[in-house]
Amino acid sequence: MAMYFVSIFVKPLQDNPLREKVDEARVFFWIVDESPENAMQRAKDYLIKYKWDVQSVEKSAFEVTAADFAGKEEAMLGFWKAKQKGFAAQFTARPKPESGNLSG
């Protein structure tokens, strides 16, 4: 078993409860699995389950170690959570622009 990292851009599907608030998001995954193909499928299954539409894959599953995240506190937290639980996901979302707010 190895640790894999994945980065995917997503948009909320019609029935996603965050659809009114989130325009798009980038999701980082740390996944312990037997192969990069399995890790990639688990990431996509997670996104389907939580009603996210894959827009593009920024980084397909590739093997990583803790050293790859040295100095990156948030990423290191995801890495260690996945080490303990087998899976971790971290979202960075861009909110929808405020409608009607034209002030600069």
Side-chain angles (χ1 to χ4, degrees):
M1 296 284 236
M3 175 75 72
Y4 296 96
F5 179 78
V6 178
S7 176
I8 300 176
F9 288 101
V10 296
K11 282 188 170 281
L13 290 169
Q14 196 69 25
D15 53 347
N16 184 318
L18 295 174
R19 187 168 181 7
E20 297 301 316
K21 295 179 180 180
V22 174
D23 185 33
E24 62 184 8
R26 181 190 216 176
V27 190
F28 301 105
F29 293 97
W30 295 262
I31 303 168
V32 177
D33 213 309
E34 295 177 359
S35 72
E37 295 80 16
N38 287 354
M40 201 67 203
Q41 189 59 54
R42 286 177 64 194
K44 288 179 178 177
D45 290 347
Y46 176 91
L47 294 170
I48 290 167
K49 180 179 178 181
Y50 291 100
K51 300 175 176 35
W52 292 95
D53 182 40
V54 173
Q55 297 296 296
S56 65
V57 175
E58 180 183 37
K59 293 183 182 185
S60 197
F62 65 97
E63 195 169 340
V64 293
T65 66
D68 294 312
F69 304 104
K72 301 173 184 165
E73 187 176 340
E74 289 292 318
M76 193 64 88
L77 290 173
F79 179 88
W80 288 114
K81 181 178 178 185
K83 271 286 199 199
Q84 293 175 344
K85 299 181 183 240
F87 185 95
Q90 186 178 89
F91 283 74
T92 303
R94 186 173 77 189
K96 284 196 171 189
E98 293 291 327
S99 57
N101 185 359
L102 300 177
S103 62

